Structure formats: C-alpha cells, structure tokens
C-alpha cells in the first residue's frame, strides 16, 4: 500500500531499506529511496491500479515504459539496485463517475463519485437537507478540488448539480415536472462522513 513509511527487510543476506514519501491518497506522487550497504539484485513491484489512466514511472529520473514492465497490474522493476536509487511513481487522481449495474434494482440509475482509490459522498452539513434531491449534472473532469484543513488536508470535490426545489409536502406523487435549481454539490471522502 502507498503510504508514508520505511520498510526494512533482508534479501539474499543483504539488509534493504525502502523509504516511501507520499501524501497518497490525496496526491498521486509517490517517491521511494532504496537503502543498501552494497548493490543487490531484486525486484520491486508497484501496484498500478486499473482506475489509473496516465501513470508515469521513473528510476533515478529516467522514465520507465510502463507498457514494458506492468504484469498483472504491477510494475515489476527487476534490476541491481544501489544505495540511494530513487523510484518515482505518479498516479493521476482524476475524479470519475462509477455507474451502477442496472440489474441491481436498488442501484439502478445511480452513480458514485470517485477520485483515485476513494469513493466520495455528500453531507447535509455542506449541501443542506434533501440529499436525495441532488442530481450530478457536471462532468467529473470539471470538478474543483480543495483541501479540508480540519481533516488533515483531505481533498474535497465540488461538482455542478441540480437540486429539486419543489415543495412536496406529504404527497407521494405529482404530475408537475421537478422544479430544479443549479447548485454546486460538495463531496467529501466517504470514510470522513459525519
């Protein structure tokens, strides 16, 4: 998993340190530095998620052709590594809509907003009551991103939407079409909900 940290292990009798610097999943830039007493041959395998379009990879600043090294969703970097070698992986975290399979009756016509590995949700705190009245109308590529400082700089999204403004009262049905207004719907990572 991509996360700030340091791993120490032994390969063929050699002590290896792999230090990782990243703000993932808020930022897709992931940087590794290899620590070795002497050059050692081994493979580093880095996950390139299926949702990621346009990932880039380099070793010591030189680009690596991902098409040549990805096997079963992992960039496999087999070589003789030296102390202070650097690996840089960049996973673009574009917002996207995931559409539900219409065969699942309860989810028919529904979408989920995702960015990188995270699913996003709306809250009444940010969008007012009646969240079921929101319909996303904007394209995910046009969503604006900003950070939430009180949540350790988590990334939130705002996207164009319409909100049904009709006063339904206690009626279950009506003949009039929806009365909508254009709004910006705010989404936060689902795991930070509430």
């Amino acid at each position: 998993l991509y996360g700030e940290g340091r791993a120490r292990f032994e390969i063929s009798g050699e002590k290896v340190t792999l230090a990782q610097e990243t703000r993932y999943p808020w930022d897709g830039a992931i940087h590794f530095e290899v620590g070795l007493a002497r050059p050692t041959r081994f493979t580093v395998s880095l996950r390139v998620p299926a949702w990621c379009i346009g990932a880039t990879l380099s070793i010591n600043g030189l680009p690596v052709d991902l098409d040549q090294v990805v096997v079963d969703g992992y960039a496999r970097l087999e070589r003789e590594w030296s102390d202070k070698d650097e690996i840089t992986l960049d996973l673009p975290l574009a917002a996207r809509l995931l559409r539900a399979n219409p065969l699942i009756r309860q989810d028919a016509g529904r979408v989920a907003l995702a960015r990188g590995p995270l699913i996003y949700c709306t809250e009444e705190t940010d969008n007012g009551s009646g969240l079921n009245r929101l319909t996303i109308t904007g394209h995910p590529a046009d969503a604006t991103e900003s950070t939430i400082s009180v949540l350790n700089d988590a990334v939130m999204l705002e996207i164009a939407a319409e909100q049904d403004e009709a006063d339904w009262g206690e009626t279950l049905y009506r003949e009039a079409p929806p009365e909508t207004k254009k709004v910006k719907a705010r989404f936060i990572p689902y795991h930070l909900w509430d």
Side-chain angles (χ1 to χ4, degrees), residues 2 23-27 49 51 92-98 112-121 148 151 153-157 187-192:
Y2 299 120
R23 285 195 63 246
Y24 188 83
W26 313 123
D27 187 310
W51 52 258
L93 303 177
R96 65 200 186 282
L97 293 178
L98 303 177
L113 183 61
R115 178 184 179 271
L118 301 179
I119 299 298
Y120 278 67
C121 69
I148 310 168
L151 295 175
D153 291 333
V155 174
M156 72 174 169
L157 302 171
F187 287 76
I188 65 163
Y190 186 79
H191 72 280
L192 298 174

Side-chain angles (χ1 to χ4, degrees), residues 21 26-27 31 36 103 112-113 129 162 165 167 177 179 190:
E21 294 178 13
W26 313 123
D27 187 310
H31 179 81
L36 292 164
L103 297 177
L113 183 61
S129 63
E162 287 185 351
E165 288 290 295
D167 180 9
E179 300 166 15
Y190 186 79

